[in-house]
Amino acid sequence: MSCNQVELEGVIIERESLRYTPAGIPIIGFGLSHQSQQNEAGMARTVKCVLAAIALGDIAVQVDRLRDDRVVHLSGFLAMKNLKSSQLVLHVTRIEYSQTR
């Protein structure tokens, strides 16, 4: 299996400080608060969630500069937080900006 793509819109929350890997690559962790209406089995459903996310490189620098109330559209893939945790984290590979909420 090779399909692992996620697109999600939300508000950046709980941003960590920008740091750098030993190789000098910028990295930042943050939360994304999402709320939407989705159709499931023919019924409208309100969806609310907070997803852990991480960004590296130029995207990490962009996230570090954003206000916490900024609405963003993120694309990326899911991976385990680390080898000892099964918690999923969105690894952001693209970011687009929307209006503030």
Side-chain angles (χ1 to χ4, degrees):
M1 291 187 275
S2 63
C3 184
N4 181 353
Q5 297 179 350
V6 175
E7 284 191 54
L8 199 62
E9 187 172 84
V11 177
I12 292 179
I13 59 170
E14 303 170 1
R15 184 179 19 211
E16 298 172 355
S17 297
L18 183 69
R19 59 190 195 281
Y20 293 84
T21 67
I25 299 169
I27 185 170
I28 192 167
F30 60 97
L32 184 76
S33 176
H34 168 83
Q35 181 174 340
S36 65
Q37 289 285 333
Q38 301 295 321
N39 185 11
E40 184 176 38
M43 303 283 292
R45 177 179 178 184
T46 299
V47 175
K48 294 180 183 180
C49 64
V50 174
L51 182 65
I54 193 166
L56 285 87
D58 292 340
I59 296 173
V61 174
Q62 291 177 41
V63 169
D64 185 54
R65 294 179 179 158
L66 291 175
R67 293 187 319 267
D68 283 344
D69 64 346
R70 188 69 188 254
V71 177
V72 293
H73 183 101
L74 302 178
S75 299
F77 61 91
L78 295 174
M80 291 188 310
K81 184 174 182 176
N82 57 47
L83 293 175
K84 297 180 181 180
S85 171
S86 61
Q87 177 185 356
L88 293 177
V89 175
L90 174 62
H91 287 248
V92 179
T93 57
R94 194 178 94 227
I95 185 170
E96 296 175 6
Y97 311 105
S98 300
Q99 77 287 353
T100 57
R101 63 173 173 172

